[in-house]
Amino acid sequence: VNVPTAATATVDELFLSSGGILTGDGTVSITGGLSWSGGTMSGSGTTIVENGASASISGAGAKTLDTRTLVNDGSVQYTSSADLAVANGAAITNEQDRTWDHQTDADYTGVGSFTNNGIFRKSVQTGITLVELDLTNNGTVDIQTGTVQIGNFGSLEATGTLTGRGNLDVTASGGGGNLAGIIDPGDQSLGSAGILTWTGPLDPDPAAPVHNDLGGRSVCSGRCGRPLLPAGRDCCRYGLPGSYRR
């Protein structure tokens, strides 16, 4: 299917399977459901899962997002065992108050970006998911099970949170991620631990809280994972490279 420049194709249901190609410079607006079990979305256009619509990314077929922008303004459930290959600067945006639920150990690989303004959640499977894309988080990254490795962490904006009772493994991109939001591994409501491992420069905004709450305390002192904190620093409001356990 080729959607040309300046055109908008509005469809209720879109099925994209192995060997299928959605391309072009125009916009595809999906008002009911997207079923993506394989194939390629390409071109400089945009695919939008509209408010009230849902997307199912499933099956073992290879999936590629090439150049195109994929916007979720509805809901996404990713159950596929296959990675999502992203190429030539393709972009994924998860809009505010929307959920992208990643229920598998598949990866997001290649060259592109993922902007999360809502909830990006890893659930169900307990293995490792690599997000190789440049990640900007204005919403919540919620790791309920397993581990999410973020290979190119761009920024955690003031409205953003990194949380969950699973493991979050972050490599800061470039000169270090911009940290203005909340880093809060664990799930206080369930009394569950979470682990944050940060590799590379860590330069948090002085006003940005790093909630570690060792042993369930709301304020902790002394040791905040490793290494030891400087004297007089509160680990709930201070960040250092290393591993932090709630």
Side-chain angles (χ1 to χ4, degrees):
V1 178
N2 189 331
V3 182
T5 302
T8 297
T10 299
V11 298
D12 181 42
E13 302 282 342
L14 176 63
F15 298 88
L16 187 60
S17 58
S18 293
I21 299 175
L22 170 65
T23 191
D25 302 331
T27 298
V28 176
S29 172
I30 302 167
T31 58
L34 166 64
S35 177
W36 191 3
S37 59
T40 298
M41 293 192 194
S42 63
S44 61
T46 301
T47 301
I48 306 173
V49 179
E50 298 286 2
N51 185 10
S54 62
S56 173
I57 304 175
S58 62
K63 299 164 186 69
T64 300
L65 184 67
D66 186 351
T67 311
R68 199 170 187 82
T69 297
L70 174 60
V71 176
N72 174 44
D73 197 27
S75 64
V76 172
Q77 187 177 75
Y78 194 126
T79 60
S80 173
S81 58
D83 299 343
L84 178 55
V86 177
N88 296 313
I92 299 171
T93 299
N94 187 43
E95 295 288 23
Q96 186 175 1
D97 299 325
R98 307 305 181 222
T99 298
W100 186 293
D101 192 0
H102 189 85
Q103 299 182 3
T104 177
D105 296 330
D107 301 329
Y108 299 82
T109 63
V111 179
S113 64
F114 195 122
T115 300
N116 177 48
N117 301 317
I119 298 173
F120 174 83
R121 174 177 293 131
K122 178 173 169 65
S123 63
V124 184
Q125 295 297 320
T126 59
I128 298 172
T129 291
L130 169 65
V131 180
E132 198 173 47
L133 314 178
D134 292 332
L135 175 68
T136 297
N137 183 43
N138 302 296
T140 298
V141 175
D142 180 20
I143 316 303
Q144 290 297 309
T145 59
T147 297
V148 170
Q149 293 180 338
I150 301 175
N152 291 291
F153 182 78
S155 64
L156 172 64
E157 301 300 331
T159 56
T161 300
L162 303 178
T163 191
R165 59 182 183 269
N167 301 325
L168 179 62
D169 190 346
V170 179
T171 299
S173 61
N178 171 41
L179 299 180
I182 297 174
I183 300 175
D184 191 8
D187 189 329
Q188 188 174 19
S189 65
L190 298 176
S192 301
I195 300 173
L196 169 63
T197 301
W198 193 283
T199 303
L202 178 59
D203 187 20
D205 186 308
V210 179
H211 295 171
N212 294 295
D213 303 337
L214 297 176
R217 291 173 288 175
S218 60
V219 176
C220 50
S221 60
R223 183 179 295 273
C224 188
R226 292 178 180 274
L228 286 170
L229 290 176
R233 298 306 294 265
D234 171 7
C235 77
C236 293
R237 300 196 63 82
Y238 189 70
L240 287 173
S243 295
Y244 299 84
R245 183 189 299 271
R246 187 185 179 93

